[in-house]
Amino acid sequence: MEVELVWLLRAAWIAGTLPILIASIPFSRLTSFHSLVLGFARRGKILQSSSKKFTVPQKFFCHFYAVAVVWTTFLLVTTWLFAYRTVPMVSKPFEFSTIAKQLTGGSHIFSWLRGRSTTMEYRYTVWRSVFLLLLMEFQVLRRLYETIYVFNYSPSSRMHIFGYVTGLFFYTAAPLSLCCNFVPELYSFVLNGVAEFIVKGKSYISNMEFDWWEFVISLLRLRWHQWIGLAIFFWGWIHQFRCHAILGSLREQREETDQYVIPHGDWFETVSSPHYLAEIVVYSGILVASGGADLTIWLLLVFVVANLSLAAAETHRWYLRKFENYPKNRLAVFPFVY
C-alpha cells in the first residue's frame, strides 16, 4: 500500500506538470495545445469569455482551503499522535511495549511496525512529517482566512471548472505527499485507536495520558535543515500575506471606481505576480525542511513552479496589454529571470 500510494502520487504530479511544460515550449505546432492549457488555467480578470459554460464563481476558491484545513488537520493530528505514541524521539521501551499491546492486542502487524520503528532514522522520518504537516497547516489556515476576509471576489469573476477540480486535487494530494512514506502504519494506528474507543468508550479517552512537553520537545530534536526550511517558509508566507492584502485593497478600490489599477508595494515592485513567487518560496521552504531526499516532495514543488509560472506569465501579458504605463522593470514571477 505504501509503495503504491507513493508512486500514485508521483505519477499524479508528473501528469499534472507535463502538459504545462509541453504548452510552454515555443513551437508553432503547439499553439492550439497552449491555448487549451491556458483556457483551463485562466481565472478572474484574465478569463475573458462571454460564456459561463464550464466555469464556476472564483469565490469557490474558499472550497480549496476549507477542504485543505480539514484534511491537513486530520493528517497532522493523527501523525503527531502516531509519532508520540509509537516512535518517540526519546525511547521508552516499557511504555512502548504497553502501548503496543493495548493498541494491537499483540498482533503481528504491530510487531512488524515495532521492528521498523526501533531505528532512529525511521523515528526521524515520522517526526519530520509532523513538522512538514505543521507548516502546511499554517499555510492553508492563512489562505482560508484570506479568501473569507481579505479577498472580495467580484460576482462576475469566474474560473474554469477544470481549474476548480485541479485545486481540490492539489490540496488533497499535497498534504498527503508530506506523510505518504508510512501511510500503512498510520492507517493501522487509526483503525486500532477507533476499535479500542468502540470497545472502551469514554474510559479510553479518560485513561489517555500526555506529556505535553515531550509532545512538543520531539520537534526541537529535528535537524538543522528543518529550521532553515522554516525560515524560508515564513519568509514566503509573510510576503504572500502582504501581497494578498495589497490585491485585496485594490479590489475594494475597483468596486468604487470600476477600474483596474497597477498594484504597488512589497514584491510588486519587481514582479507582476509576487503572490505566486511567495507561494513558490513557501513550498521551497517545505522542500528544504524535508531534507530534499523525497522525490514526491520534489515533484510537488515542480508542479507548483510550473503551474504558477504559467499563470504568472499570462497575468503579466494582461498587465502589459491593459496599461501603457506599466513598469518596464517588472518581470512575470522571478526577479531578473522571467
Side-chain angles (χ1 to χ4, degrees):
M1 180 179 175
E2 173 188 332
V3 174
E4 292 175 357
L5 177 62
V6 169
W7 283 105
L8 184 62
L9 285 169
R10 291 175 180 177
W13 293 128
I14 292 171
T17 304
L18 276 179
I20 300 173
L21 296 179
I22 294 172
S24 301
I25 298 174
F27 188 52
S28 58
R29 293 187 178 181
L30 294 174
T31 302
S32 58
F33 183 73
H34 177 81
S35 300
L36 177 66
V37 173
L38 270 182
F40 291 152
R42 285 182 175 136
R43 57 180 179 264
K45 60 179 176 288
I46 62 174
L47 180 61
Q48 298 177 349
S49 174
S50 57
S51 173
K52 293 185 178 181
K53 191 175 182 180
F54 302 122
T55 66
V56 295
Q58 196 177 4
K59 65 181 180 181
F60 280 13
F61 255 78
C62 67
H63 297 175
F64 301 163
Y65 306 115
V67 169
V69 166
V70 172
W71 179 231
T72 305
T73 301
F74 171 77
L75 289 176
L76 174 61
V77 171
T78 54
T79 304
W80 208 332
L81 285 172
F82 171 75
Y84 174 76
R85 298 287 298 276
T86 65
V87 286
M89 293 294 277
V90 179
S91 297
K92 294 185 177 182
F94 296 106
E95 291 183 19
F96 178 86
S97 177
T98 302
I99 293 168
K101 187 176 180 181
Q102 289 177 347
L103 285 174
T104 65
S107 71
H108 68 281
I109 296 174
F110 205 82
S111 299
W112 167 71
L113 169 59
R114 183 170 53 187
R116 285 192 62 178
S117 63
T118 53
T119 65
M120 195 61 192
E121 188 61 31
Y122 179 73
R123 296 177 186 221
Y124 164 74
T125 299
V126 175
W127 280 100
R128 180 187 64 196
S129 291
V130 174
F131 187 82
L132 298 179
L133 287 168
L134 191 59
L135 296 185
M136 192 70 181
E137 184 80 1
F138 275 108
Q139 175 68 0
V140 297
L141 281 172
R142 198 205 75 239
R143 296 295 284 116
L144 180 62
Y145 168 82
E146 288 170 343
T147 55
I148 297 174
Y149 297 108
V150 176
F151 291 137
N152 185 20
Y153 294 111
S154 168
S156 61
S157 293
R158 313 286 295 181
M159 62 177 166
H160 198 281
I161 186 67
F162 187 82
Y164 176 73
V165 173
T166 300
L168 291 175
F169 160 77
F170 178 84
Y171 284 105
T172 302
L176 191 59
S177 296
L178 305 180
C179 62
C180 62
N181 291 313
F182 51 89
V183 164
E185 297 96 314
L186 189 61
Y187 179 72
S188 297
F189 175 80
V190 172
L191 284 185
N192 288 323
V194 171
E196 188 165 0
F197 175 75
I198 292 173
V199 172
K200 294 186 177 181
K202 293 182 180 180
S203 62
Y204 173 72
I205 298 177
S206 61
N207 291 333
M208 292 178 67
E209 295 182 0
F210 289 103
D211 182 343
W212 292 104
W213 174 242
E214 184 183 336
F215 204 68
V216 175
I217 198 65
S218 295
L219 291 176
L220 302 179
R221 294 175 178 267
L222 295 174
R223 298 171 185 171
W224 59 268
H225 48 73
Q226 265 78 58
W227 306 112
I228 293 178
L230 178 69
I232 295 172
F233 172 89
F234 275 109
W235 182 43
W237 192 91
I238 291 169
H239 280 285
Q240 189 175 48
F241 180 73
R242 290 175 178 173
C243 293
H244 282 160
I246 292 170
L247 289 175
S249 66
L250 292 182
R251 284 171 180 161
E252 291 178 0
Q253 294 178 26
R254 182 169 174 256
E255 284 192 345
E256 298 174 0
T257 63
D258 199 29
Q259 290 183 345
Y260 284 102
V261 295
I262 300 173
H264 290 279
D266 204 72
W267 287 355
F268 275 108
E269 301 306 320
T270 55
V271 294
S272 295
S273 297
H275 50 310
Y276 293 158
L277 172 60
E279 182 135 349
I280 291 171
V281 172
V282 162
Y283 285 96
S284 297
I286 290 176
L287 175 66
V288 172
S290 75
D294 192 332
L295 178 59
T296 308
I297 300 178
W298 272 103
L299 293 173
L300 163 61
L301 177 62
V302 171
F303 173 80
V304 169
V305 173
N307 182 49
L308 295 182
S309 295
L310 179 73
E314 186 66 12
T315 300
H316 186 66
R317 285 190 285 268
W318 183 88
Y319 277 127
L320 292 175
R321 291 193 301 266
K322 184 72 175 179
F323 302 104
E324 295 181 358
N325 61 336
Y326 194 71
K328 295 181 179 179
N329 65 309
R330 289 192 196 181
L331 295 180
V333 63
F334 297 111
F336 314 113
V337 178
Y338 176 72

